[in-house]
Amino acid sequence: MTTLPGWLRPANRLIRLLTRAGLPLGTIHVLTVPGRRSGAPRATPVSPLTVGGHRYVIAGLPESDWARNVRAAGRGELARGRRRQPVTLTEVTDPGLRREVVRAFPREVPHGVPMFVKLGIVTKADPDEFAAAADRVAVFRIAPAAG
């Protein structure tokens, strides 16, 4: 498994704190989902992107805790600043759609590219290189929760 940078945990804590204080931070949202074992809320910063009129989020490490929690729960809350929205999350299994979404990432979320480089998924912000890596990441479609 890939080792995450040591600064990531404190940076994620700071982002969650700033979001709770109502400060929007570019494309960054905080996704909170129930833990797959405890059921306790687990929050992680994410950067949703829109492709073909639908919103998606990409897990660079498909077996990360947050991605596994999303698979188990299928629902959560997406927050940006003080705005919160209940959502459903569905993993994209269609390879063509997954490639299309991942290809759009460097254009839609350019500040997220360095993390994909650090993880060794890509070497630069090239849409074709991102598309080629689509089978090594997890993509989740975000939809407003019913009701």
Side-chain angles (χ1 to χ4, degrees):
M1 174 144 184
T2 302
T3 303
L4 295 173
W7 53 262
L8 186 61
R9 227 179 256 272
N12 283 349
R13 249 184 254 120
L14 177 62
I15 290 168
R16 290 192 308 265
L17 178 69
L18 293 172
T19 297
R20 251 193 321 272
L23 297 173
L25 301 170
T27 63
I28 298 175
H29 292 59
V30 174
L31 176 63
T32 303
V33 297
R36 63 191 175 282
R37 293 189 192 122
S38 69
R42 302 291 181 204
T44 192
V46 296
S47 287
L49 62 153
T50 302
V51 176
H54 299 286
R55 292 173 74 197
Y56 300 90
V57 66
I58 299 172
L61 298 174
E63 294 306 316
S64 63
D65 283 335
W66 80 263
R68 293 166 64 192
N69 289 339
V70 166
R71 284 187 194 100
R75 64 179 173 79
E77 180 183 77
L78 198 58
R80 181 161 191 250
R82 291 193 177 160
R83 218 176 104 212
R84 292 171 173 14
Q85 177 186 29
V87 295
T88 59
L89 299 128
T90 308
E91 189 159 10
V92 175
T93 56
D94 175 81
L97 178 56
R98 200 169 49 237
R99 262 189 310 280
E100 181 182 352
V101 171
V102 178
R103 173 186 299 281
F105 188 84
R107 182 186 73 249
E108 297 284 320
V109 188
H111 67 273
V113 170
M115 180 56 73
F116 280 74
V117 171
K118 272 193 189 320
L119 294 174
I121 297 167
V122 296
T123 60
K124 61 186 181 249
D126 175 40
D128 291 335
E129 193 174 334
F130 268 80
D135 290 338
R136 298 193 320 264
V137 301
V139 177
F140 299 96
R141 181 173 173 189
I142 303 167

